[in-house]
Amino acid sequence: MDFRYYMPVKIVCGRDCVRKNAPAFAEYGKKALVVTGKSSSANGALADVTAALAENGQEWLVYDKIPPNPTVDCVREGGALARGFGADFVVAIGGGSPMDAAKAIAMLARQDAGENIFAYQASADVLPMLHVPTTAGTGSEVTPYAILTNDEKETKTSISNPAYFPKAAFLDGKYMLGLPRDTTVYTAIDAMSHAMEGMLSVRAGALTDALAKESLRVLRGELPALASGRLSEEDRDALLYAATLAGMVIANTGTSAVHSMGYSLTYFHGAPHGRANGLLLPEFFAVCEEKSPARAKEILNAAGFSSPSEFAAALAPLLGEREKISDELLHAYAKKASVNKNIKNCSVFFDEADLFRVLKASVGC
């Protein structure tokens, strides 16, 4: 049995784990740049982080201008703030957008990426990071990836470096109790997408499959609560656990064609990332079932489904009315997705015609 697996992030999980583990923050220096969005002040995460820093006698500066789908401009601004403040480390609080942005900011605080951050080959000289996720979906707290909006190519693009792994992640489901239903649903679907796509990766192995199957088992059990919109603290904890496991999967496997297609739905139509993936996943697996029936069946069964149609029926009430996009645009999106690096990472090959077929069946007029 041949495989490799790497995940250097220390995970601390449990109620009030940020406050209870304040001394862990003291290890990384005297000054912290806190990277977040506006919601962290309402869900209590920012208050817990600043209380932990205060307990240690550390200084902090809050940068809370991270938008959904972070831009190059915002991470450059954050990097300049970190340098000007003399930050020793970065604390990221939020969903995928603040956590991804924090990785780029941690790099830009130490390095000049030049005009094109996407072409820049970063060194390992990056500010250390601690991450506090406040949504259960992206798994960014345990990955070396930062996804940024790439306006030049009209898509979202990943930058990656082993140095972008956070030093530690603090998982506390209480920060998610007030999340809107749509955000809860779409981030959970994003986690499901990570686990399922990770199993299709050419880099999948025994350990990543085991993590993916455990993530899918938990997520399948949470579908009734997601559909009803009535989630307990235990449900929130379970979703966060499953999302982190799925993040641990893609940290080693990467993602596949679903992400390649979904980026256009997000960039051009404003579909939240997890929603975009959810719209595409059942039809994607319908094609996978034709091309690689044994592996597709294994993945669907791990998620608790006997067929792509049963999978589609389970997601339908979570997604509601679908976007309707013209064939002309879908052909353009298929062409764009066909040259994305994620295509080659999928053990089931999707050419441009296959990608259009999935897009058409998922969001066609």
Side-chain angles (χ1 to χ4, degrees):
M1 183 184 296
D2 295 330
F3 62 83
R4 294 184 179 184
Y5 182 78
Y6 181 62
M7 209 294 291
V9 184
K10 179 180 180 180
I11 299 174
V12 182
C13 182
R15 193 68 71 239
D16 302 320
C17 61
V18 170
R19 296 288 296 271
K20 290 177 180 177
N21 291 275
F25 288 72
E27 299 176 24
Y28 298 99
K30 297 180 178 180
K31 291 186 174 184
L33 180 73
V34 180
V35 177
T36 187
K38 300 294 185 183
S39 63
S40 66
S41 60
N43 62 32
L46 180 60
D48 282 353
V49 166
T50 55
L53 295 171
E55 182 177 324
N56 298 328
Q58 294 166 293
E59 297 179 53
W60 65 87
L61 175 66
V62 176
Y63 179 54
D64 61 359
K65 296 181 181 179
I66 306 301
N69 307 307
T71 63
V72 173
D73 286 344
C74 84
V75 298
R76 289 193 187 281
E77 181 180 20
L81 277 176
R83 289 193 303 274
F85 180 56
D88 299 308
F89 65 107
V90 172
V91 181
I93 308 172
S97 293
M99 289 193 288
D100 284 3
K103 296 172 184 179
I105 288 169
M107 180 271 288
L108 291 168
R110 290 276 183 87
Q111 303 179 48
D112 180 1
E115 291 298 316
N116 188 351
I117 191 173
F118 300 107
Y120 177 66
Q121 298 298 311
S123 74
D125 185 20
V126 172
L127 289 179
M129 291 169 280
L130 306 176
H131 281 213
V132 182
T134 61
T135 64
T138 70
S140 185
E141 67 273 11
V142 290
T143 75
Y145 313 126
I147 313 296
L148 304 176
T149 299
N150 186 340
D151 287 320
E152 181 180 352
K153 294 189 176 181
E154 297 183 316
T155 188
K156 296 169 70 176
T157 300
S158 171
I159 60 174
S160 177
N161 190 307
Y164 299 163
F165 274 113
K167 298 297 183 184
F170 297 87
L171 312 183
D172 189 340
K174 74 176 184 180
Y175 301 133
M176 297 160 207
L177 292 173
L179 279 179
R181 179 181 181 273
D182 283 353
T183 302
T184 301
V185 166
Y186 298 154
T187 51
I189 293 174
D190 189 23
M192 182 175 286
S193 181
H194 291 161
M196 297 178 82
E197 290 181 70
M199 290 185 71
L200 271 182
S201 169
V202 297
R203 292 182 276 163
L207 283 178
T208 56
D209 274 7
L211 292 167
K213 289 178 179 180
E214 170 66 357
S215 176
L216 291 171
R217 180 192 68 79
V218 175
L219 289 167
R220 181 67 177 89
E222 292 300 321
L223 288 182
L226 289 167
S228 71
R230 295 185 294 273
L231 288 92
S232 66
E233 289 191 13
E234 290 73 22
D235 291 321
R236 298 288 184 180
D237 290 338
L239 290 171
L240 182 54
Y241 165 67
T244 298
L245 290 177
M248 292 164 65
V249 172
I250 62 168
N252 283 265
T253 66
T255 55
S256 75
V258 173
H259 275 63
S260 302
M261 292 181 285
Y263 289 153
S264 287
L265 302 186
T266 296
Y267 187 90
F268 292 106
H269 301 276
H273 174 63
R275 174 176 175 80
N277 289 355
L279 292 167
L280 298 164
L281 274 170
E283 295 299 335
F284 172 76
F285 271 95
V287 176
C288 286
E289 190 176 49
E290 296 173 9
K291 292 173 174 277
S292 183
R295 188 58 165 166
K297 180 178 178 61
E298 180 183 5
I299 297 169
L300 286 166
N301 287 351
F305 304 108
S306 60
S307 66
S309 60
E310 185 182 356
F311 185 23
L315 292 188
L318 301 178
L319 296 170
E321 185 175 353
R322 292 170 175 264
E323 288 80 349
K324 296 295 183 182
I325 303 172
S326 71
D327 283 6
E328 180 182 5
L329 288 175
L330 294 181
H331 276 296
Y333 301 160
K335 183 175 182 179
K336 187 183 292 287
S338 70
V339 297
N340 189 287
K341 62 184 178 182
N342 289 356
I343 296 296
K344 294 181 179 179
N345 188 49
C346 189
S347 61
V348 178
F349 178 68
F350 277 69
D351 61 20
E352 189 174 330
D354 294 324
L355 296 168
F356 174 76
R357 178 182 167 192
V358 172
L359 287 160
K360 174 70 174 177
S362 302
V363 292
C365 291

